Amino acid sequence: MEKANKFWRWARNKLSDPANPGQETEERTLFLDGTIAEESWFDDDVTPALFRSELESSSGNITVWLNSPGGDCFAAAQIYNMLRDYKGKVTIKIDGLAASAASVIAMAGDKVLMSPVSMLMIHNPSTVAMGSTDEMQKAIEMLDEVKNSIVNAYQTKTGLSRNKLSKLMDEETWMNAGKAVELHFADGVIERSSLYGRKPETEPDETPAEDEPDERSTSEKESDEVEPKSMLFSRYRAAAAMNKKLCDYCREHSEKPPDNEKQAKVYNTGRSVEDLEKRLDLMKQFI
């Protein structure tokens, strides 16, 4: 019986062996869903030893379907190391979200693929601390070391500089499949036929016959093989851009005190002070 607080589960699939036509081979699938070690990772029955024993209970290639908002970075680090040390080929498929600690696990794949509608997010590690200034300084130093260890995983996969990766983490960066492939966090986009092993519905062959001219425009022909557009979102950049727009608007629309009676008419809103006070009193009733 599975433990109630396990955040992973296994499945076995029978696949045709391309090397031996007519024969089947077995491939295991690991599903990592939800928070990584939401309750505990060391102090209860859901332990690193249990995960390792299940991982090594069989051989062969494995596919990992990953959909997680993150969680315990130390648990993610151990899972990363176990997958990297596994003898068979590990393919990571992100079908929803690989955020925070889950993005570290994603870097363990020999091949990393993302669904066209999935997202990957990286940011700085965080913790809760209390105590004296010495205790606060220890927490800061610990977070710096944790960040460096996470950068190691990202750099091994992407080849990007540590400064570039550190800046992306500082800005809490969100990437769609296209951007993740562009920055080498992922190797490709999951094709429709491989999503959960489903085959696409039969569709009519719209390819023009050899004796029929292809009258489509150049843009229509090029759209047959369109790569997902890349998108990178930083919460801090978005906030900074919004603040800049607000400041620019205030500077452009700031009202100066009228110099004479003629100018005063331009700034007259037509509302009396009593009317404004009534509207403010009305608003207070709903606050």
Side-chain angles (χ1 to χ4, degrees), residues 41-85:
W41 178 242
F42 295 105
D43 298 331
D44 59 15
D45 294 332
V46 181
T47 64
L50 176 61
F51 184 90
R52 182 183 293 275
S53 66
E54 294 183 2
L55 175 64
E56 298 179 349
S57 63
S58 183
S59 59
N61 301 333
I62 63 173
T63 298
V64 181
W65 285 95
L66 179 60
N67 179 32
S68 170
D72 187 334
C73 63
F74 297 111
Q78 282 200 291
I79 294 173
Y80 169 89
N81 290 327
M82 292 179 193
L83 293 176
R84 291 279 292 175
D85 192 51

Side-chain angles (χ1 to χ4, degrees), residues 168-195:
L168 291 173
M169 293 173 70
D170 291 342
E171 296 176 346
E172 186 183 296
T173 301
W174 292 76
M175 290 169 271
N176 68 355
K179 195 65 181 183
V181 171
E182 180 183 324
L183 295 179
H184 306 294
F185 283 90
D187 301 301
V189 179
I190 303 174
E191 296 179 358
R192 182 183 174 193
S193 59
S194 63
L195 278 169

Side-chain angles (χ1 to χ4, degrees), residues 126-280:
S126 61
T127 188
V128 176
M130 62 180 295
S132 65
T133 55
D134 290 340
E135 293 299 325
M136 296 297 102
Q137 186 59 42
K138 289 179 182 178
I140 293 172
E141 293 172 357
M142 181 270 291
L143 288 175
D144 287 340
E145 293 303 319
V146 171
K147 179 177 180 177
N148 284 329
S149 68
I150 293 174
V151 170
N152 290 338
Y154 294 152
Q155 187 176 40
T156 300
K157 176 62 181 175
T158 66
L160 297 175
S161 69
R162 300 184 71 85
N163 287 338
K164 172 71 172 179
L165 291 166
S166 178
K167 186 176 180 181
L168 291 173
M169 293 173 70
D170 291 342
E171 296 176 346
E172 186 183 296
T173 301
W174 292 76
M175 290 169 271
N176 68 355
K179 195 65 181 183
V181 171
E182 180 183 324
L183 295 179
H184 306 294
F185 283 90
D187 301 301
V189 179
I190 303 174
E191 296 179 358
R192 182 183 174 193
S193 59
S194 63
L195 278 169
Y196 301 105
R198 294 177 55 189
K199 295 182 179 180
E201 298 176 2
T202 303
E203 297 179 353
D205 185 4
E206 297 180 355
T207 304
E210 293 183 1
D211 57 345
E212 295 181 7
D214 190 349
E215 298 179 351
R216 297 178 301 166
S217 65
T218 302
S219 60
E220 289 175 330
K221 294 176 184 177
E222 292 175 348
S223 66
D224 287 345
E225 297 182 358
V226 176
E227 292 293 330
K229 293 183 178 180
S230 64
M231 184 279 290
L232 184 145
F233 170 77
S234 167
R235 181 162 60 91
Y236 295 99
R237 287 187 182 180
M242 180 61 71
N243 287 335
K244 183 178 183 303
K245 289 182 179 180
L246 289 173
C247 291
D248 292 343
Y249 179 86
C250 291
R251 280 194 292 267
E252 292 175 3
H253 295 80
S254 59
E255 293 185 353
K256 298 180 180 179
D259 296 331
N260 51 51
E261 184 178 350
K262 184 177 181 180
Q263 288 182 320
K265 294 180 181 180
V266 177
Y267 294 93
N268 186 3
T269 62
R271 295 177 180 271
S272 64
V273 175
E274 291 78 7
D275 184 33
L276 292 174
E277 288 179 345
K278 289 179 182 180
R279 294 181 62 86
L280 288 173

